[in-house]
Amino acid sequence: MIKVGILGATGNVGQRFIQQLAGHPWFEITALAASERSAGKPYEQVAKWRLDTDLPEEVRELTVVPTKPEAVDADIVFSALPAEDAIKIEADFAKAGMIVCSNASSHRMEKDVPLVIPEVNPEHLGLIDVQKKKRKWDGAIITNPNCSTIMMVVTLKPLMKFGLENIHVSTMQAVSGAGYEGVPSMAIIDNMIPYIGSEEGKMETEALKLLGDFDGKQVKDAPFWVSAACHRVGVLDGHTMSIWARFNKKVTPEKVKDAFLKFDPKLSDLPTSPKKAIIVREEPDRPQPRMDRMQGNGMSISVGRIRAGKADAIQYVCMGHNTIRGAAGASVLNAELLKKKGYL
């Protein structure tokens, strides 16, 4: 078993990491790290467990440790740290020789840091060797994208063969994406908020890196552009988005649907990978967060309403679980890919 630690273990995404890793066939949770006020105490005493499954027995009595490399007994760490803390702490862990699978945004766009979705760009893990050589450290930082970016880009991958020219996307994002205390109830009940700080910029830049070409030394961004508008809505879990995709050749809704149905990233040997990365819904009112977010144990992306739009665009709706597929599950899947590729 590979020993794993979780940084930021008491927070919303940290709890999802515990849920995803408990009983994992390859990984064993050996360290839970959090703030100094939590360190030295059993996890069940300091964490307000907020998920709809029981706190796993294997971590109840595990003593929380400080978020320092010397305190964490692990070969690989999963980071659920806030971006402002992750920028230094994750680098400290990599310098100490550990593999860091990060959900934070801090290092995603650095040229030598892999930004990876296993179904989309597994070859970008080659940046690990570039990173180690450049930074002269034994560990490495590997990142997964922003939650809404993941949903969109997984669906764009099978459409790349049609020659993408530009993407417009409008999101309806769940409140859990802001953390348990991120959006006050009186701000979101009977309301929607047409702004999520930095979200639009992440979608517009991360997508190009993810779908870009790796030449062995660097990633060249994909040759199209993305325009995003992001909104917070009163849904607990599950980000939904409407996507308008334009291509440099004539594409029909039938071809797009067929591409989704035939998409097979060949990751069935990874424990967290769903049977279907993309599930096509035929009903006119699907996908819906409450109905579809747990497809593939929360790791599948559901699409529907595939139709022809104006100016030869193809329009469709996609949806996925933001704290599983878009956060903790994405990092765990990255770690499984690392093992498959021989990096662990």
Side-chain angles (χ1 to χ4, degrees):
M1 297 289 280
I2 297 170
K3 297 188 293 185
V4 305
I6 300 169
L7 313 182
T10 58
N12 194 33
V13 175
Q15 293 185 18
R16 283 292 186 194
F17 271 123
I18 291 173
Q19 186 186 58
Q20 292 292 114
L21 290 164
H24 194 284
W26 298 352
F27 303 136
E28 177 187 5
I29 300 173
T30 54
L32 299 176
S35 64
E36 293 290 343
R37 65 178 177 272
S38 298
K41 303 171 185 176
Y43 184 79
E44 66 176 347
Q45 288 187 16
V46 298
K48 295 181 179 180
W49 190 253
R50 306 190 191 278
L51 302 184
D52 56 3
T53 56
D54 290 337
L55 175 62
E57 289 291 336
E58 65 197 76
V59 302
R60 286 180 180 273
E61 297 298 325
L62 203 59
T63 300
V64 176
V65 298
T67 313
K68 300 177 180 178
E70 61 270 20
V72 174
D73 177 24
D75 303 306
I76 179 172
V77 293
F78 295 94
S79 174
L81 295 170
E84 61 271 18
D85 297 330
I87 188 72
K88 179 181 185 300
I89 293 173
E90 291 178 358
D92 288 342
F93 275 82
K95 289 175 187 175
M98 296 186 209
I99 297 292
V100 181
C101 285
S102 174
N103 184 66
S105 62
S106 311
H107 299 282
R108 287 175 188 159
M109 298 308 293
E110 293 175 11
K111 291 185 177 181
D112 61 345
V113 173
L115 178 66
V116 173
I117 302 172
E119 296 94 337
V120 173
N121 61 333
E123 70 279 3
H124 287 200
L125 288 180
L127 280 174
I128 291 174
D129 299 322
V130 177
Q131 182 187 139
K132 287 184 173 183
K133 183 177 180 180
K134 176 182 176 182
R135 305 197 186 200
K136 295 179 172 58
W137 58 28
D138 293 327
I141 299 171
I142 298 91
T143 63
N144 57 265
N146 174 52
C147 46
S148 50
T149 304
I150 290 177
M151 319 303 177
M152 177 181 70
V153 170
V154 169
T155 67
L156 293 180
K157 177 64 175 180
L159 307 185
M160 289 287 286
K161 62 185 179 182
F162 299 132
L164 281 168
E165 281 193 339
N166 56 66
I167 303 295
H168 292 269
V169 56
S170 180
T171 73
M172 294 149 278
Q173 297 182 219
V175 292
S176 60
Y180 188 81
E181 298 177 352
V183 181
S185 59
M186 290 189 70
I188 199 65
I189 293 174
D190 190 33
N191 201 20
M192 60 82 64
I193 302 170
Y195 172 74
I196 304 174
S198 74
E199 196 83 357
E200 291 157 353
K202 291 175 185 177
M203 293 193 75
E204 292 171 354
T205 56
E206 292 175 8
L208 304 187
K209 182 175 180 180
L210 286 158
L211 293 167
D213 293 324
F214 176 57
D215 65 5
K217 296 181 179 179
Q218 61 184 351
V219 173
K220 183 180 179 181
D221 284 353
F224 55 83
W225 52 262
V226 177
S227 179
C230 297
H231 316 86
R232 189 75 70 190
V233 297
V235 172
L236 183 60
D237 291 309
H239 287 355
T240 306
M241 57 200 73
S242 292
I243 295 174
W244 293 258
R246 292 189 64 186
F247 305 90
N248 58 23
K249 62 181 72 173
K250 182 68 175 179
V251 180
T252 64
E254 291 73 24
K255 287 184 177 180
V256 168
K257 176 183 173 181
D258 187 62
F260 288 152
L261 289 170
K262 291 180 177 177
F263 182 54
D264 180 9
K266 302 190 184 305
L267 298 175
S268 60
D269 54 341
L270 302 186
T272 301
S273 181
K275 289 183 179 179
K276 291 185 178 180
I278 299 174
I279 294 173
V280 176
R281 304 297 316 198
E282 300 286 359
E283 304 91 328
D285 61 350
R286 300 281 283 276
Q288 298 178 19
R290 193 172 65 188
M291 302 290 284
D292 299 306
R293 61 193 170 207
M294 287 307 298
Q295 292 291 324
N297 293 318
M299 289 296 289
S300 294
I301 309 297
S302 296
V303 300
R305 300 206 65 212
I306 305 166
R307 61 206 188 277
K310 301 294 185 181
D312 292 326
I314 295 294
Q315 296 178 232
Y316 62 93
V317 174
C318 78
M319 194 284 308
H321 198 302
N322 53 296
T323 61
I324 299 178
R325 171 75 261 195
S331 284
V332 173
L333 193 61
N334 277 353
E336 292 171 356
L337 182 63
L338 287 170
K339 182 180 183 298
K340 177 180 179 179
K341 298 292 187 182
Y343 288 100
L344 293 178

